[in-house]
Every structure is written in structure tokens, then in C-alpha cells.
């Protein structure tokens, strides 16, 4: 939405809205990004990977986050120490990333990969209406 439309909706001036948006961007509490559909960009395989780590799982997460195909990496509690989301061109690309990159990271003990058959819901509104 435009700053003018937001200002009208919340009852502030356009200048006040610009100032508040700038403050949120500067603080890092808000990011403005474009979200793409991987399938339209030639990436045919999306997968989630559960990772069991040995040693410092934070160090493992740092190393895994450096892999280009990893678009999401979180430390978790429960069965896995980390959960990853990958986007790959095809199954062969996925196999290469798993064998040649992820499983060679020091501290990666075990992985379990699930291929996403279809994205049913994906939002980024985190509690906003």
C-alpha cells in the first residue's frame, strides 16, 4: 500500500507513516522483500530436511546456512536439532546438495529428507490481520 493509503487507514499524516516505516526498517523489525514461486524459476523440488547434530548445533546451523540451496534453517527442540528447507532444480540436484554439501558439514550426524509434494499454505503475516 502507498504511504498515503496507510496514513488514511490509521489516521496519521503521510510524513508520520514514512517516519515510522523508516524506523521499523532501520531497527530490523520489518523487512520488505519479494517472495518468488520457485517452480516458475525452474526449481522443481522443494524439500525439508531434519538434521541431528553432534556438538554445537549453533555452529552446524551457521555452516548449513551458508549453503545457497538452504532457504530456511532453524534450531529446534524435539526429534531434530535443526530443520532446513531446500529448493533445488531436480532430484539429482537435491541428491548432490544432500551428499556433497549438507552431510559433509562437521557436526551433521543424521538427516531425514521429505520432498514437498505441494505447498498448501505459506504466509508471512506473523500475527498481523
Amino acid at each position: 500500500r502507498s504511504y498515503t493509503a496507510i496514513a488514511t487507514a490509521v489516521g496519521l499524516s503521510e510524513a508520520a507513516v514514512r517516519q515510522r516505516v523508516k524506523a521499523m526498517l532501520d531497527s530490523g523489525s520489518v523487512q520488505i522483500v519479494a517472495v518468488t514461486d520457485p517452480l516458475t524459476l525452474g526449481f522443481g523440488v522443494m524439500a525439508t530436511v531434519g538434521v541431528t547434530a553432534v556438538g554445537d548445533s549453533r555452529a552446524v546451523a551457521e555452516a548449513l546456512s551458508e549453503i545457497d540451496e538452504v532457504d530456511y534453517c532453524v534450531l529446534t527442540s524435539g526429534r531434530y536439532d535443526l530443520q532446513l528447507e531446500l529448493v533445488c532444480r531436480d532430484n539429482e540436484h537435491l541428491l548432490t546438495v544432500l551428499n556433497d554439501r549438507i552431510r559433509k558439514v562437521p557436526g551433521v550426524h543424521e538427516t531425514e529428507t521429505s520432498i514437498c509434494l505441494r505447498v498448501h499454505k505459506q504466509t508471512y503475516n506473523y500475527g498481523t490481520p
Side-chain angles (χ1 to χ4, degrees):
R1 296 175 79 181
S2 69
Y3 289 124
T4 304
I6 295 170
T8 301
V10 298
L12 293 172
S13 70
E14 182 180 338
V17 170
R18 282 183 191 276
Q19 195 172 43
R20 290 185 184 190
V21 169
K22 183 180 180 334
M24 289 187 290
L25 291 169
D26 290 347
S27 73
S29 62
V30 170
Q31 295 178 348
I32 298 174
V33 299
V35 178
T36 60
D37 178 356
L39 298 178
T40 64
L41 298 174
F43 296 96
V45 177
M46 295 173 61
T48 60
V49 181
V51 178
T52 303
V54 293
D56 186 351
S57 58
R58 294 169 297 187
V60 175
E62 286 294 325
L64 291 171
S65 294
E66 295 297 318
I67 298 171
D68 289 339
E69 291 83 358
V70 174
D71 63 12
Y72 182 74
C73 175
V74 292
L75 289 133
T76 59
S77 62
R79 182 174 178 178
Y80 302 108
D81 299 305
L82 298 103
Q83 285 281 341
L84 312 176
E85 287 182 3
L86 308 177
V87 177
C88 296
R89 289 183 306 278
D90 51 33
N91 285 340
E92 191 63 33
H93 183 201
L94 174 61
L95 179 61
T96 298
V97 172
L98 289 169
N99 277 335
D100 300 346
R101 308 280 310 280
I102 291 173
R103 291 182 181 142
K104 290 187 177 177
V105 168
V108 170
H109 174 67
E110 186 176 82
T111 64
E112 183 175 314
T113 304
S114 298
I115 292 178
C116 300
L117 300 175
R118 178 189 311 150
V119 176
H120 189 72
K121 179 179 181 179
Q122 185 173 20
T123 64
Y124 300 96
N125 57 1
Y126 304 117
T128 59

